[in-house]
Amino acid sequence: MGRSGFQITAKLQLLDCVTLTMVLLSLLFRPAHCQQCRIQRCNAEYVASTSPSSGLQEDVAMDVDYCIALRAYALCTRRQARSCRGDLVYHSAVFRIKELFSQHNCSSEGPTSSAKVPSTSRPAVSELCDYENRVLMSGSAGQQKKYAHCGLFGDPHLRTFRDEFQTCKVEGAWPLIDNRFLSVQVTNVPVVLGSSATATSKITVIFKFFQGCTDQKVYQATTVDLPLAFQDGSRSGGESGSLSIVERGGSGVGRQVRIQARYIGTSIIVRRVGSYLTFAIRMPEDTLDFTEDNGGLQLCLHGCPRNELIKEHTLGIQSLQPRLQGTNTELGPLRPPHQVYTVERATARCRETLQVEDVYFQSCVFDLLTTGDPEFSLAAYGALEDLKALPPSKLRQNSPRTPRIYNGGASHTAAAAHSSLFSLVLLILLLL
């Protein structure tokens, strides 16, 4: 009986040891399964610290140091790195934080508290006046938000927001865009005698008043003036920098001006190629109304009217008839084509600048056949460069994708732990 009682006591002690081991192991591996990603809390705290609607007095909100709020945002995301390593919203936030540090010249080192300190950084664009930030902070970046592209160039060729490609006459003043945010109007004039093709001689862009972000601003370019300012002489709208003329390039094809309207996520490029202008714009699709039936004539949205279309890249009998009028109000007397190009010669010339024979290549050939002007034929190349700079794409293009290696690794670790525990229990039972 003494030996039997000793064995029973030993077994109970071993069972208690096994039970304690299992409890400790379960507590050890519990955080890997229960810890939750709280990146949305970081996003909400950041928006609250920088948004005028955070409940602060208006004069106090303007004194909040943006770099301090940004560093606090970065610190919050770093604390969530372990639990959010497989979360796309988290990786989008980390990527956006790096961009914001660069855009606002903020140092990653410094205070992260909300206490007021002297700020040496430049004023930041408020979240209200930054379209991409609004999308990111609302958590809707992954809902297939997309940009749409529209371009007008050459004689003229139109690429609509629907990615339709047309060649039109559209002589005179025509609206490209007219919505609640902005209006764009172009004026097209005849190019040469004997052709129904026209080209753009004037572009007028009206940015409409947007509460808290910009006053109404007008930009106008002509064949003789491509200004680096709005009509009132300013280069930005509002106090937040949400609307600005950001660059003027001398490289590439022709002179160009780029306008950035961050509050509506829109970029515009106006070029002067030869004696005429080209236009390109990229806007978020959710700022456009593709379904409106009574929205008026908008070439970028609905394309050219049927009676204004030109059969692409061919010179019909009607287009070969001389015009009765021999002048236009924009450029003076109409001129005959500079040179006479055959299709073969025009094709060879365009292949020097455009290697891929796509619609832009065909437009180049058409422009040479129409005008005989080698300089003006470069409008197609410039339009293609603008398309590359302002591509129609997903709003959060190239969002970081985290492979499932992390989850797989966690599962593998848990499985290994369970296997070790099972082996340990089996070994103990064999010893009993």
Side-chain angles (χ1 to χ4, degrees), residues 97-293:
I97 287 171
K98 292 180 180 179
E99 289 185 334
L100 292 174
F101 268 117
S102 176
Q103 290 176 7
H104 301 293
N105 291 334
C106 291
S107 171
S108 59
E109 297 182 358
T112 58
S113 66
S114 58
K116 297 180 183 179
V117 297
S119 174
T120 57
S121 61
R122 65 180 180 181
V125 178
S126 68
E127 300 305 321
L128 173 67
C129 300
D130 191 318
Y131 175 83
E132 290 193 8
N133 274 346
R134 292 201 306 271
V135 171
L136 177 63
M137 298 312 158
S138 66
S140 59
Q143 299 178 4
Q144 297 298 314
K145 298 285 186 179
K146 294 182 179 180
Y147 287 116
H149 177 94
C150 177
L152 186 73
F153 65 96
D155 280 350
H157 310 289
L158 173 69
R159 179 172 183 151
T160 71
F161 284 133
R162 304 173 190 268
D163 288 334
E164 298 171 344
F165 203 93
Q166 301 175 344
T167 301
C168 317
K169 294 179 287 186
V170 288
E171 182 177 346
W174 291 80
L176 289 183
I177 304 168
D178 187 13
N179 56 39
R180 63 186 186 276
F181 300 112
L182 78 163
S183 296
V184 180
Q185 180 174 287
V186 295
T187 300
N188 299 318
V189 295
V191 182
V192 295
L193 284 168
S195 172
S196 61
T198 64
T200 303
S201 62
K202 180 187 296 184
I203 297 174
T204 302
V205 184
I206 302 175
F207 295 93
K208 300 178 181 179
F209 172 76
F210 193 96
Q211 181 68 39
C213 296
T214 183
D215 299 325
Q216 178 171 297
K217 292 287 182 179
V218 179
Y219 179 82
Q220 187 172 89
T222 65
T223 55
V224 295
D225 185 23
L226 190 64
L228 190 59
F230 298 104
Q231 281 196 325
D232 61 3
S234 66
R235 294 184 58 183
S236 63
E239 298 180 357
S240 61
S242 58
L243 173 64
S244 60
I245 297 178
V246 295
E247 70 179 54
R248 182 177 187 171
S251 59
V253 178
R255 299 170 61 194
Q256 61 176 285
V257 168
R258 181 163 178 164
I259 306 174
Q260 194 79 26
R262 297 179 62 183
Y263 65 102
I264 52 174
T266 297
S267 299
I268 294 174
I269 298 177
V270 178
R271 289 180 185 260
R272 185 177 187 271
V273 182
S275 300
Y276 300 97
L277 302 172
T278 69
F279 174 84
I281 186 172
R282 181 177 69 171
M283 295 188 70
E285 284 188 349
D286 59 6
T287 63
L288 305 170
D289 188 357
F290 289 99
T291 62
E292 60 180 346
D293 297 326

Side-chain angles (χ1 to χ4, degrees), residues 374-403:
E375 184 180 23
F376 185 53
S377 67
L378 294 177
Y381 177 79
L384 183 58
E385 291 298 299
D386 293 341
L387 178 64
K388 293 176 182 178
L390 309 175
S393 60
K394 292 181 180 179
L395 185 60
R396 303 307 304 169
Q397 190 178 15
N398 298 327
S399 296
R401 292 187 177 182
T402 304

